[in-house]
Amino acid sequence: MKCFAILTLLIFILYIIGFSKRTTIAAWMDKNFTTAIKGFSILTIVWAHSGARLGVGGIQFIAGIGVSLFLICSGYGLEMSYQKNGLKGFWKKRVWGVCIPFWIAEWIGLIVTQSFSFRKYVLDTLFLKPATGYGWFMGYIVVCYFIFFVIKQFISNKKISIVTLCGIFLAWFVLESVFFANPDMPFLKARQMLAFPCGILIAQYKRDIEQILTKTRSILIFVCGGGIICILFMAVTQMEAVKQFPYLLSNILALLTCIPMAIGILVFGKVFCGLIESNMLLAVGSISYEIYLVHAFTLNIVKDDVSNIILFLSVTVTIAILLHQLVRMKYKLIKK
């Protein structure tokens, strides 16, 4: 517990130092805002996963909130990009931004941890069977991208596209819960099913949402209500009786464990924008995906020792920066 407290303190100190050079947030959900939120989300994920390694019980549920935030921002960014550029270069950006960093990180990580095998690597890189407990996310986000692409490619009517989007994610939720749930963590993917579509809807109805959020009552409902719902359903889903429910039913309850809090955080960030105007959050947010990839392997460093905690943070961030710069440099060369 001592090392977890030190880890928490280190992250908080870096966050405070980040205010020495403030990041200007021009508007709610602008690029800097969503990047800073991604920075917050990945710190939440790394903090929770590290805490679980250090024996802090139940903390991994908090990582789910970070994942929800990341998926909401991803769906939002994708929709905003589509409104400006359509589907031009869609898969090229996804391959370079998501797939290639993942393939590189998995290749190096599996070799360094001495767990590489050709079969494991192929199944992992094709998003068929994750090589680590955190690899599910990459396959998940790629499916989200595919659904988004197909809908935008073939459906131009806004209302029909929204209905189709919700219908597809609903069907995916049912299939995941009934046929593909992991018995160890059956809620892992299912509880995130609303996050990506939620980001798309925020982008499409941003002005209306901002109008709603001008009222104090609405803000309190989203922030306080989101927190209460999240805590309540996290407690409910941990009840032994609920764990005996069919996965479909327990996963419906799990839907309310992360996303309400994630939405509440976004609204809180609008009201108290100054709290995310930290250059540290912006810097971390710009390499948040790479940190997620790298931490799947560097978590092995985490032990109940202060030097290991410092080493874990240093190695994770350094490798994430190198991976980000490598892929970015190669992408620029190809564009030329």
Side-chain angles (χ1 to χ4, degrees):
M1 197 66 182
K2 175 185 174 182
C3 285
F4 179 67
I6 291 173
L7 171 65
T8 305
L9 181 61
L10 284 173
I11 292 174
F12 182 72
I13 289 172
L14 291 172
Y15 164 73
I16 295 297
I17 291 173
F19 285 104
S20 61
K21 183 180 178 182
R22 296 180 73 88
T23 299
T24 302
I25 305 296
W28 183 63
M29 296 302 287
D30 71 357
K31 186 175 181 180
N32 278 347
F33 183 95
T34 54
T35 301
I37 288 294
K38 285 182 179 180
F40 173 80
S41 73
I42 193 59
L43 288 174
T44 301
I45 292 167
V46 171
W47 178 74
H49 287 164
S50 301
R53 288 271 177 161
L54 294 169
V56 182
I59 197 169
Q60 281 190 290
F61 271 98
I62 296 175
I65 297 171
V67 172
S68 291
L69 280 169
F70 195 92
L71 285 169
I72 290 172
C73 289
S74 295
Y76 176 86
L78 216 59
E79 176 63 28
M80 294 301 289
S81 176
Y82 172 78
Q83 291 178 15
K84 292 180 180 178
N85 308 309
L87 294 174
K88 183 180 179 181
F90 181 87
W91 284 113
K92 185 178 181 180
K93 293 177 183 176
R94 305 290 87 74
V95 169
W96 277 98
V98 177
C99 297
I100 290 180
F102 172 61
W103 294 334
I104 294 173
E106 296 299 286
W107 177 58
I108 296 174
L110 290 172
I111 290 176
V112 171
T113 56
Q114 298 181 342
S115 55
F116 181 89
S117 75
F118 180 75
R119 183 175 183 276
K120 179 189 286 188
Y121 182 68
V122 170
L123 291 175
D124 190 26
T125 55
L126 293 177
F127 310 108
L128 297 174
K129 186 178 180 181
T132 71
Y134 309 103
W136 67 271
F137 178 79
M138 279 62 76
Y140 185 90
I141 195 69
V142 167
V143 173
C144 289
Y145 292 152
F146 179 76
I147 292 171
F148 179 89
F149 178 83
V150 170
I151 290 175
K152 296 300 183 182
Q153 182 73 32
F154 296 105
I155 303 175
S156 57
N157 183 279
K158 182 178 178 179
K159 291 184 178 179
I160 295 177
S161 69
I162 290 173
V163 172
T164 304
L165 177 74
C166 295
I168 291 175
F169 273 88
L170 174 61
W172 187 11
F173 173 81
V174 173
L175 290 172
E176 176 63 35
S177 300
V178 176
F179 299 107
F180 303 110
N182 181 343
D184 295 328
M185 297 184 78
F187 52 82
L188 190 62
K189 295 180 182 179
R191 67 180 176 179
Q192 302 295 348
M193 286 295 173
L194 295 177
F196 188 83
C198 181
I200 295 173
L201 292 176
I202 291 174
Q204 291 182 340
Y205 296 99
K206 183 182 176 183
R207 290 184 180 179
D208 296 331
I209 293 170
E210 287 186 300
Q211 186 64 34
I212 292 172
L213 296 180
T214 58
K215 301 176 182 178
T216 304
R217 182 187 299 178
S218 300
I219 293 169
L220 289 174
I221 289 173
F222 279 107
V223 176
C224 298
I228 292 170
I229 290 170
C230 174
I231 294 170
L232 175 63
F233 279 89
M234 278 187 178
V236 168
T237 53
Q238 289 303 295
M239 296 171 62
E240 287 302 320
V242 173
K243 290 180 180 180
Q244 302 306 315
F245 288 176
Y247 290 153
L248 180 60
L249 181 56
S250 61
N251 282 345
I252 290 174
L253 298 175
L255 279 172
L256 297 173
T257 58
C258 297
I259 294 171
M261 179 70 87
I263 293 173
I265 290 170
L266 289 176
V267 174
F268 184 85
K270 174 178 171 57
V271 180
F272 299 99
C273 193
L275 293 176
I276 64 171
E277 291 184 338
S278 167
N279 196 53
M280 176 263 202
L281 288 181
L282 187 66
V284 172
S286 66
I287 57 169
S288 55
Y289 178 63
E290 288 81 1
I291 290 176
Y292 184 88
L293 296 177
V294 173
H295 101 295
F297 297 100
T298 56
L299 274 173
N300 294 324
I301 300 173
V302 175
K303 292 181 176 62
D304 198 10
D305 180 83
V306 175
S307 60
N308 283 75
I309 297 299
I310 295 173
L311 180 63
F312 162 68
L313 291 175
S314 303
V315 170
T316 302
V317 173
T318 300
I319 296 176
I321 291 172
L322 292 174
L323 178 60
H324 179 78
Q325 292 298 331
L326 174 64
V327 174
R328 187 178 179 183
M329 181 178 64
K330 290 288 185 181
Y331 182 61
K332 285 183 177 179
L333 288 173
I334 288 180
K335 284 182 73 176
K336 290 180 180 180

